[in-house]
Amino acid sequence: MASNNPFGNPSTSSISTISSTSSEAPVVHSPVLNSVLRREKRAVALYLKEESSKANNVKPLNDYLDHILDPQRPIDDFENLETCKWIIAGGLTFEEFSKKVRDHDSSVMCGLVWTANFVAYRCRTCGISQCMSICSDCFQMGNHEGHDYNMFRSQAGGACDCGDANVMKPEGFCPHHGENRDNKSTPEAPLELITVAKEMMPRLFLRLLYHLRDQFVMQVRMGCTTFSLSISEMEQFLNLMQSLSDMGAVMRRVMAEALTNPAHYTKSTEPSSDKDNSVEVKNYQVFLQQLKNDCIPYPSNFDKYKDLPGMSQELNYTTIIEELVFWVLRYEFPQQLVTFLLGLLPDDLYKEAFAVAFVKHYSRISVVLMVARDRSMVANRVVHISVQLFSNRDLAVFLTENYNLLLIIILSLADMIMGIRVASSLEDPEMESNFHCVVNCEDEIMKEHCYWPAVSDLINVLSHRAIAHRFWKIPLC
């Protein structure tokens, strides 16, 4: 536990001034950084905040982050994560900082994320989308008297739609969400409160990317054909990120900007003169080569439509969130990572970027559904994501008009079915005109209902009138 004394005993609460790994020589830091590393965590946080806020000097902060977020250190290192909390909080305890940020939360939507077996509500009177759902608190605080509603146990997981006028009617919102919410006049967060967080957030997400790449490259070199991710090795790191997201709209916007700004991603991909031979650069090069080799193949029927908007299946990433979506697929939708990414959806900037990245990977999702080790689990988690995106009327229409969402779903579903056709037993096999085929119901794809997420998504998007009209104009011939 960190001391509350800003200048506590360095022997118990400071970080060593020299770091080393089993495979590399010790790294000697600059005198300035050595001086900072000898200080107690709170003192370090206060110093870095002062430099970043008043002197507009972020170099000390970034030098310090180079040390504690070094990819050669374990991502779940307890001391490093505790130090990160102090730095983000700017010298406050993490709990004090969280309360201050929450005081400026002006969230329009609830966005509470739940997993399977969570009890939620669906109000057909208030719902615009048939998949609309709200948490118990928002339902109880809203006015649904006399409405056609039901309580249900979630099968695939979900998120609360209270406050989202594209999914449910405003008259069904609880007092805390929507444009007319009680906390509409919440004061804007002062810049000095989140200055360090804005500078630090991209570094935290890049640390996550380095870990995901490292695990992938290690398994590639072992000759693995299927890939797994040990969430236990990064659980505390994801808990930290989740706790930041839970602070509300202010921190979610900071996270959204870090995830969607191309400049932050570019810094992690272009080798500098002093990092040409670093493990991170080598891992990135292996990752690029695997993308070039199409390490997650896409259905061949997409090639016919590759010149249409959004139909190119080439994977080129420009933002952190785009690559994160790839890792969600590659590691077969790890629950904690999925839950974290869904928790950021109340932020509109993030929601659009995440939705576009998800749709760009949708064809490969259908492939993952057919080859996953646990198809049922993956199917549930795919729907957990897609239902949050495609239930939103404006977002679904935007994705359809600009990225051919409807065509992508149909082609993905068709590929799953076309690959398991057999000749119809009702026809004479010797007849030259016999061309009838049926689906092989004994195939694992049918027996394990691998197709149901795509069918569910198709039904969901066709519930929007504008998309249903567009359905008749799809160029499938």
Side-chain angles (χ1 to χ4, degrees):
M1 205 59 175
S3 168
N4 288 328
N5 178 358
F7 300 97
N9 185 352
S11 65
T12 60
S13 53
S14 65
I15 302 176
S16 172
T17 60
I18 299 180
S19 65
S20 63
T21 67
S22 59
S23 59
E24 296 183 3
V27 178
V28 180
H29 301 297
S30 67
V32 174
L33 181 55
N34 278 338
S35 174
V36 176
L37 290 172
R38 292 191 182 97
R39 303 184 187 185
E40 189 268 341
K41 292 183 177 68
R42 174 174 279 182
V44 170
L46 288 169
Y47 165 74
L48 295 177
K49 179 181 180 180
E50 181 179 2
E51 289 295 309
S52 301
S53 301
K54 296 181 180 179
N56 195 26
N57 177 19
V58 296
K59 188 178 187 306
L61 173 60
N62 281 306
D63 287 345
Y64 194 81
L65 294 179
D66 286 342
H67 177 72
I68 64 171
L69 296 179
D70 185 346
Q72 301 308 306
R73 294 172 174 267
I75 191 171
D76 249 16
D77 184 281
F78 177 79
E79 283 298 317
N80 284 348
L81 294 179
E82 286 297 302
T83 303
C84 285
K85 290 181 179 180
W86 279 103
I87 296 174
I88 292 173
L92 300 172
T93 67
F94 196 68
E95 292 72 21
E96 292 170 340
F97 176 72
S98 177
K99 185 180 183 304
K100 280 183 173 289
V101 175
R102 287 174 183 272
D103 287 342
H104 301 280
D105 182 19
S106 58
S107 300
V108 174
M109 294 179 286
C110 174
L112 175 71
V113 178
W114 57 77
T115 54
N117 296 318
F118 185 91
V119 175
Y121 288 82
R122 176 167 292 125
C123 180
R124 298 176 185 84
T125 304
C126 295
I128 294 174
S129 166
Q130 61 181 0
C131 297
M132 162 267 187
S133 58
I134 53 178
C135 68
S136 177
D137 287 346
C138 289
F139 178 82
Q140 298 295 341
M141 289 187 292
N143 180 17
H144 298 278
E145 184 177 354
H147 288 190
D148 177 14
Y149 67 84
N150 69 291
M151 181 175 65
F152 67 97
R153 189 179 296 277
S154 180
Q155 177 184 353
C160 183
D161 294 314
C162 187
D164 190 343
N166 285 304
V167 180
M168 63 181 292
K169 299 172 184 175
E171 49 265 34
F173 296 165
C174 78
H176 298 315
H177 302 114
E179 293 297 333
N180 297 319
R181 61 196 180 281
D182 291 343
N183 61 342
K184 187 175 182 179
S185 58
T186 301
E188 186 175 348
L191 183 60
E192 60 269 18
L193 181 65
I194 56 173
T195 295
V196 174
K198 287 174 71 71
E199 187 68 27
M200 190 170 176
M201 199 63 68
R203 301 294 303 273
L204 288 170
F205 281 121
L206 291 179
R207 179 64 189 92
L208 176 59
L209 282 189
Y210 291 144
H211 179 76
L212 296 172
R213 292 174 185 171
D214 183 70
Q215 297 301 300
F216 175 68
V217 171
M218 179 176 64
Q219 294 175 65
V220 166
R221 289 171 176 162
M222 292 172 60
C224 297
T225 55
T226 59
F227 298 84
S228 60
L229 180 68
S230 176
I231 287 294
S232 62
E233 295 180 0
M234 54 190 294
E235 183 175 7
Q236 296 307 312
F237 182 91
L238 289 177
N239 286 343
L240 168 61
M241 302 303 287
Q242 185 65 61
S243 65
L244 291 169
S245 174
D246 290 342
M247 292 181 188
V250 173
M251 193 57 68
R252 283 196 290 263
R253 175 45 61 101
V254 172
M255 301 177 93
E257 291 173 348
L259 287 166
T260 59
N261 188 334
H264 298 317
Y265 187 73
T266 300
K267 290 177 182 177
S268 78
T269 62
E270 294 183 348
S272 58
S273 57
D274 60 338
K275 288 189 176 182
D276 289 351
N277 296 314
S278 69
V279 173
E280 296 72 55
V281 170
K282 292 178 180 178
N283 284 349
Y284 181 66
Q285 291 169 347
V286 173
F287 168 60
L288 287 182
Q289 186 60 46
Q290 291 295 312
L291 283 182
K292 185 177 179 180
N293 295 340
D294 205 14
C295 55
I296 305 181
Y298 64 90
S300 59
N301 58 351
F302 275 76
D303 287 334
K304 182 178 178 180
Y305 307 95
K306 62 182 179 181
D307 294 329
L308 294 178
M311 296 300 292
S312 171
Q313 297 304 299
E314 187 176 356
L315 296 180
N316 293 312
Y317 300 135
T318 59
T319 62
I320 296 173
I321 189 56
E322 290 175 344
E323 187 177 327
L324 277 179
V325 171
F326 169 85
W327 293 121
V328 169
L329 268 69
R330 180 70 280 178
Y331 292 120
E332 298 184 2
F333 295 81
Q335 182 66 76
Q336 193 170 359
L337 185 56
V338 169
T339 300
F340 166 67
L341 294 176
L342 287 177
L344 296 172
L345 285 178
D347 186 276
D348 290 336
L349 173 66
Y350 169 82
K351 177 182 285 188
E352 182 176 317
F354 177 72
V356 170
F358 184 78
V359 170
K360 285 183 176 179
H361 288 85
Y362 195 95
S363 65
R364 290 172 168 86
I365 292 175
S366 65
V367 175
V368 172
L369 284 167
M370 293 187 285
V371 301
R373 290 181 294 269
D374 188 338
R375 296 187 180 103
S376 177
M377 178 200 70
V378 171
N380 283 332
R381 293 176 184 175
V382 168
V383 174
H384 192 186
I385 296 174
S386 63
V387 73
Q388 310 312 318
L389 304 177
F390 304 155
S391 295
N392 184 298
R393 178 184 55 199
D394 288 356
L395 183 59
V397 171
F398 168 79
L399 294 171
T400 300
E401 293 180 345
N402 294 279
Y403 296 94
N404 274 295
L405 169 62
L406 189 55
L407 180 57
I408 288 173
I409 295 175
I410 292 173
L411 291 177
S412 299
L413 181 59
D415 178 73
M416 299 176 80
I417 301 302
M418 297 291 281
I420 57 173
R421 292 175 301 165
V422 294
S424 172
S425 61
L426 298 178
E427 297 288 340
D428 184 350
E430 296 182 1
M431 291 181 59
E432 293 183 3
S433 61
N434 180 19
F435 58 88
H436 294 96
C437 291
V438 295
V439 173
N440 179 14
C441 292
E442 294 302 313
D443 193 280
E444 294 296 316
I445 291 175
M446 294 298 293
K447 290 169 69 174
E448 297 192 20
H449 308 287
C450 298
Y451 56 85
W452 82 265
V455 172
S456 174
D457 291 342
L458 182 60
I459 294 172
N460 195 0
V461 298
L462 287 176
S463 68
H464 303 297
R465 182 184 295 272
I467 299 178
H469 288 171
R470 190 181 182 90
F471 176 76
W472 303 104
K473 303 177 182 179
I474 293 180
L476 287 175
C477 55

